[in-house]
Amino acid sequence: MSERPDSAGPDPDDTFDEFAELVEEETRRDPDLAVIEAGSRTLRTQGGPPQADVPARPADPEVDKALREVEAELATRWGETKLEPSVDRIAALMDVLGEPQRSYPSIHITGTNGKTSTARMIEALLGAFDLRTGRYTSPHVQSVTERISLDGAPVSAERFIETYQDVKPYVEMVDSAQEYRLSFFEVLTGMAYAAFADAPVDVAVVEVGMGGTWDATNVIDAGVAVVTPIDLDHTDRLGTTPAEIATEKAGIVKQDATVIMAKQPVDAAQVLLKKAVEVGATVAREGLEFGVLDRQVAVGGQLMTLRGLGGEYTEVYLPLHGAHQAHNAAVALAAVEAFFGVGSRHARPLDIDTVRKAFASVASPGRMEVVRRSPTVVLDAAHNPAGARAAADTIGEAFQFSNLIGVVGASADKNVRELLEAFEPVFAEVVVTQNSSHRAMDADALAAIAVEVFGEERVQVEPRLPDALEAAITLAEEEGEFAGGGVLVTGSVITVGEARLLLGKG
């Protein structure tokens, strides 16, 4: 483990010189990227802006065929929305696999929104400090292989297939002994933990699938438990109030762990703090022990000053848009500090240059991701009211659209009315559609709610996503090429993933 705390802090003159060198380098490479808003500084890594790591289908036909066969076998199992709340099956699988999840330390992440982006930031920070990482997140944007990452990148299709074949006999053994077969998510979780042990990794960054207590990932005893903001989602399974949902999510908090807690509703915070007391965990709270001190909109993202557990981190560039991503960054930084013992064993901050380099490398596909220009098309995977409110705030802050058209395809089990209400102030018009998932809300049913929210004259129905994208782009272009038209595709991770493919990404 390589920890490089910076006890003295950066010299201001050195920081300015370094910044000037970075700007000069950007100016030589691409003058457009060197445009810096008055009063702000933009720090970038030498490699330029990060690229989203969403893998395409394998180029080798035989590998592609083998991957499709694995996907088809996984598809015969219970999907992620059909649950039997228990960790008995995954625990049995871990037992026959030799408890691979106990061969490395882990950071466990729960919450309602921001889990995947926070996981990616934690992964980037740990990697920058020379640790080998494994990351397990869900759902995927385009390829199931995205869910399992090693060293900051999704495993290859070949490795995914090999891992599945390795665990398959043990999965079948557990299936035969249990009342219900292992689910799709449980098998993938077992694959991830096995792949991390086989690598081997120095640390695993694990995002829960749903809840916490009975989530399949909760067979780890993470030394650091992260709770991103809790809001109402999956209310049919987790509860109808933030406190009830927090009760389920608090299940990842283990004996003597450190809990990194984002800002929470009061009743949710009380539940989490009570659980921490019960198990002797230490709590660090956003807004008290750590947080965002300052943020400014910058070219391609934002410039932040963060307060961590060990001190301040200034001039930190994050190539992601939105206040919510700055708060995710503060949570991620505190989690990594806690992992390194900052705030418990010592109070020294982490090396500032390493922290800056890590954050500048972060990408989060499908989260305010620009995939086309003229007109600009942005993808955001907001799928519940809280996520929609964050997306609406961000689109107004980061982009200057005079005519923004929404493309919305949502799942039938979501609070669609409140999601649409969050976007109503920022969408000039909305094109409602549906994705290919069996969970997708029928386009006509979605349109009926949209008409109530937007009015009939602002709603267009295109059941096929390709037609919806074409219609939205046409509407955005009506004011002319340079008039500030744009398109935001949102409502579901699946909708965003399919739109991403249609628009030539991956």
Side-chain angles (χ1 to χ4, degrees):
M1 184 182 300
S2 172
E3 181 184 352
R4 292 176 284 178
D6 182 358
S7 57
D11 181 272
D13 292 335
D14 290 345
T15 301
F16 183 82
D17 291 343
E18 180 183 342
F19 170 70
E21 291 173 5
L22 286 167
V23 172
E24 183 180 356
E25 174 64 26
E26 288 295 342
T27 304
R28 286 197 298 269
R29 182 168 60 248
D30 187 343
D32 291 338
L33 293 179
V35 178
I36 300 174
E37 294 183 3
S40 72
R41 294 172 169 182
T42 300
L43 297 176
R44 295 179 182 272
T45 56
Q46 296 300 309
Q51 300 299 311
D53 54 347
V54 178
R57 295 299 308 184
D60 185 326
E62 291 302 313
V63 176
D64 187 51
K65 178 184 176 183
L67 179 59
R68 291 185 188 277
E69 289 173 353
V70 171
E71 291 169 332
E73 289 187 25
L74 288 170
T76 65
R77 298 180 175 275
W78 278 0
E80 290 171 282
T81 58
K82 186 173 183 179
L83 305 167
E84 194 278 317
S86 165
V87 294
D88 291 346
R89 292 175 302 281
I90 187 68
L93 179 60
M94 293 297 99
D95 182 51
V96 297
L97 287 174
E99 304 291 348
Q101 82 282 13
R102 304 201 185 282
S103 63
Y104 39 79
S106 53
I107 297 175
H108 208 175
I109 307 168
T110 190
T112 302
N113 289 308
K115 296 187 294 295
T116 298
S117 292
T118 302
R120 286 175 170 274
M121 294 178 196
I122 291 172
E123 173 190 53
L125 284 162
L126 293 168
F129 283 99
D130 300 325
L131 294 185
R132 187 168 201 199
T133 58
R135 171 171 54 84
Y136 181 52
T137 54
S138 61
H140 56 274
V141 177
Q142 286 175 205
S143 172
V144 69
T145 61
E146 297 167 36
R147 297 182 180 226
I148 304 173
S149 289
L150 291 171
D151 297 319
V155 295
S156 65
E158 292 88 346
R159 188 159 193 164
F160 186 89
I161 296 163
E162 180 184 351
T163 302
Y164 176 76
Q165 297 298 342
D166 285 346
V167 305
K168 183 178 177 180
Y170 301 97
V171 167
E172 292 173 345
M173 188 186 308
V174 173
D175 283 344
S176 65
Q178 296 288 322
E179 182 180 1
Y180 304 106
R181 297 171 70 214
L182 287 153
S183 70
F184 169 85
F185 186 73
E186 287 169 334
V187 174
L188 281 176
T189 302
M191 289 172 59
Y193 288 160
F196 297 161
D198 185 59
V201 301
D202 297 314
V203 55
V205 183
V206 178
E207 173 189 339
V208 303
M210 186 186 299
T213 301
W214 42 259
D215 186 73
T217 63
N218 202 29
V219 288
I220 54 175
D221 291 319
V224 178
V226 175
V227 187
T228 66
I230 291 173
D231 212 297
L232 300 182
D233 199 9
H234 301 295
T235 53
D236 56 330
R237 296 179 176 88
L238 302 180
T240 57
T241 67
E244 291 176 351
I245 294 172
T247 301
E248 290 296 331
K249 294 184 182 294
I252 73 164
V253 178
K254 304 297 174 61
Q255 191 74 36
D256 299 324
T258 299
V259 183
I260 304 300
M261 198 168 79
K263 289 182 180 178
Q264 304 290 349
V266 173
D267 56 346
Q270 289 172 337
V271 169
L272 294 168
L273 292 170
K274 182 174 182 291
K275 178 59 182 286
V277 170
E278 290 172 354
V279 299
T282 302
V283 178
R285 300 153 296 178
E286 184 184 5
L288 294 173
E289 285 77 26
F290 69 93
V292 179
L293 295 181
D294 183 59
R295 55 179 294 270
Q296 302 174 42
V297 176
V299 178
Q302 54 192 306
L303 197 66
M304 310 173 297
T305 297
L306 304 177
R307 183 174 75 245
L309 304 179
E312 288 190 13
Y313 298 80
T314 62
E315 302 288 349
V316 177
Y317 175 73
L318 179 68
L320 301 176
H321 299 290
H324 61 295
Q325 294 290 16
H327 291 288
N328 290 340
V331 169
L333 176 61
V336 173
E337 285 183 307
F339 181 80
F340 283 134
V342 177
S344 57
R345 297 193 298 273
H346 62 82
R348 295 167 296 171
L350 302 177
D351 178 68
I352 183 63
D353 291 331
T354 306
V355 169
R356 287 172 177 158
K357 177 182 177 181
F359 276 119
S361 73
V362 171
S364 195
R367 278 75 179 177
M368 281 295 151
E369 180 186 12
V370 177
V371 292
R372 171 182 164 152
R373 300 286 186 182
S374 292
T376 299
V377 178
V378 183
L379 307 180
D380 192 83
H383 57 274
N384 55 42
R389 288 190 291 270
D393 289 343
T394 300
I395 205 81
E397 175 186 88
F399 303 90
Q400 285 74 49
F401 295 126
S402 60
N403 182 40
L404 179 63
I405 310 301
V407 174
V408 179
S411 296
D413 59 346
K414 298 297 181 180
N415 186 342
V416 173
R417 179 178 296 277
E418 288 191 23
L419 182 144
L420 291 171
E421 287 173 346
F423 285 121
E424 191 278 330
V426 298
F427 287 166
E429 298 181 62
V430 61
V431 181
V432 297
T433 188
Q434 62 190 76
N435 58 55
S436 63
S437 168
H438 68 278
R439 296 173 55 202
M441 175 174 277
D442 177 77
D444 289 332
L446 180 56
I449 301 172
V451 166
E452 294 177 3
V453 174
F454 287 85
E456 188 172 356
E457 69 284 354
R458 294 169 63 193
V459 178
Q460 183 170 332
V461 186
E462 295 291 350
R464 296 181 65 254
L465 184 56
D467 297 336
L469 291 171
E470 183 177 351
I473 289 169
T474 299
L475 288 169
E477 291 175 332
E478 284 185 350
E479 292 187 13
E481 183 179 355
F482 304 106
V487 174
L488 175 63
V489 183
T490 189
S492 164
V493 176
I494 298 169
T495 301
V496 163
E498 292 180 358
R500 207 171 184 278
L501 279 172
L502 289 168
L503 293 164
K505 295 290 183 178

